[in-house]
Amino acid sequence: MSGFVEKPEPIQVPGLVHLHTGKVRELYRNEAGDLVMVASDRISAYDWVLPTEIPDKGRVLTQLSLWWFDQLRDLAPNHVLSTALPEGAPADWAGRTLVCKSLRMVPVECVARGYLTGSGLAEYQESRTVCGLALPEGLVDGSELPAPIFTPATKAEVGEHDENVSYEEVARQVGAETAAELRQATLAVYARARDIARDRGIILADTKFEFGFDGDSLVLADEVLTPDSSRFWPADRWEPGRAQPSYDKQFVRDWLTSAASGWDRRSEQPPPPLPGEVVEATRAKYVEAYERLTGVRWS
């Protein structure tokens, strides 16, 4: 059992039709047929959307995505039309709302990995491969790969795991031409972002993108290069052979699996609310990632 501990009721706004409640985002359609994405302050861990929110998280994700879209504009078109608040929307939506093109989405999580960790490490330890791609011997947790690799996954419903799949499976599902275009775009965007992050003292270990088609054009969609969709590590603390400190929700994961939480993740019981110090430490990590990457002080 997993999913929402307490599934929120979507806010109703005149002129907007609510389409979907995700782990973090609420999705609406406006009268022009555009999508309206609203990033909440919800946070998830171990396939649960937790009952405690992280203040400012949705705004950080939205503003960081907008910054990255601007850095990548010459490389990949994106789906953002406007950041204007829809008429009648609550004031709290300011800074966390994007009006976007309605795309024909590709049902693939496009993952780029430049370093070995997470589910890729688990597969490598068993077979010396990641998503069927052979890798050299001797790699450990946190090792930089000889070259970045495209390791796609299927997109899971809330409360379920994304499942890594081979490139050949993606080609079977969406066609060889689209699969090749996804791989090329994913690795090109990753390489640009990796270099930008590196100049700011941050390692972009891996990240996932979503793409859709606007006519025949492949367009970058959803969020990009945030602590929710990427692993960012401080470069000055990188040490292969162990788990790396990261700019994400590691404080949440660590507390949930500690004796202090009293929660057994193998049980069917939902996780408990987060204590204030974990909330504040997690918020600080999201803000630090934004500030280090953009060079702009969060306010």
Side-chain angles (χ1 to χ4, degrees):
M1 188 178 171
S2 55
F4 288 91
V5 174
E6 300 169 5
K7 189 168 184 178
E9 286 295 323
I11 295 171
Q12 302 301 321
V13 177
L16 299 184
V17 176
H18 182 260
L19 301 177
H20 179 66
T21 294
K23 290 180 181 178
V24 174
R25 286 167 182 76
E26 300 287 348
L27 188 63
Y28 297 80
R29 191 181 304 281
N30 66 17
E31 292 174 337
D34 305 319
L35 296 181
V36 178
M37 291 173 44
V38 185
S40 74
D41 292 335
R42 296 191 292 267
I43 193 165
S44 62
Y46 301 118
D47 300 323
W48 285 96
V49 181
L50 304 180
T52 310
E53 294 189 338
I54 307 298
D56 288 328
K57 177 173 175 281
R59 288 190 179 88
V60 170
L61 299 182
T62 301
Q63 298 309 308
L64 188 54
S65 288
L66 286 168
W67 184 83
W68 277 114
F69 281 137
D70 192 51
Q71 309 305 307
L72 302 166
R73 191 173 301 278
D74 64 313
L75 197 60
N78 65 72
H79 67 160
V80 178
L81 296 171
S82 170
T83 58
L85 205 59
E87 187 174 347
D92 183 60
W93 282 18
R96 61 174 77 241
T97 302
L98 298 178
V99 182
C100 305
K101 291 179 184 177
S102 183
L103 304 174
R104 180 165 49 89
M105 296 301 294
V106 182
V108 175
E109 293 275 6
C110 293
V111 180
R113 300 176 191 268
Y115 293 75
L116 187 64
T117 194
S119 62
L121 174 65
E123 180 184 334
Y124 173 81
Q125 289 173 334
E126 288 186 1
S127 61
R128 296 299 182 263
T129 65
V130 176
C131 288
L133 297 173
L135 294 175
E137 293 283 342
L139 301 180
V140 296
D141 192 356
S143 288
E144 184 172 9
L145 301 178
I149 57 176
F150 176 60
T151 59
T154 56
K155 188 169 174 58
E157 295 298 318
V158 174
E160 297 181 9
H161 281 298
D162 293 346
E163 182 180 348
N164 292 344
V165 295
S166 67
Y167 176 79
E168 290 72 24
E169 176 60 21
V170 172
R172 189 190 68 78
Q173 289 185 17
V174 303
E177 185 176 345
T178 296
E181 196 171 358
L182 291 173
R183 179 168 61 184
Q184 188 278 330
T186 297
L187 293 177
V189 172
Y190 172 81
R192 169 74 62 81
R194 174 202 60 199
D195 292 347
I196 290 172
R198 184 178 288 158
D199 287 344
R200 289 155 172 79
I202 291 177
I203 290 172
L204 174 58
D206 56 43
T207 191
K208 63 181 178 180
F209 304 114
E210 291 194 41
F211 291 94
F213 280 98
D214 180 20
D216 293 331
S217 299
L218 192 66
V219 175
L220 191 55
D222 199 54
E223 65 176 325
V224 289
L225 296 155
T226 71
D228 271 14
S229 65
S230 315
R231 282 189 178 92
F232 293 116
W233 300 336
D236 59 358
R237 297 177 64 190
W238 174 52
E239 186 182 321
R242 62 171 175 84
Q244 310 300 314
S246 59
Y247 293 98
D248 62 7
K249 48 195 171 189
Q250 195 59 47
F251 286 111
V252 172
R253 298 189 194 99
D254 290 347
W255 183 80
L256 286 172
T257 54
S258 73
S261 76
W263 181 60
D264 180 1
R265 62 178 290 201
R266 294 162 297 187
S267 73
E268 294 188 356
Q269 295 301 310
L274 302 174
E277 62 269 19
V278 173
V279 170
E280 184 52 40
T282 303
R283 178 190 178 278
K285 273 296 174 190
Y286 277 81
V287 169
E288 184 183 351
Y290 172 86
E291 292 182 339
R292 287 199 65 177
L293 286 165
T294 67
V296 177
R297 184 169 178 80
W298 180 257
S299 58

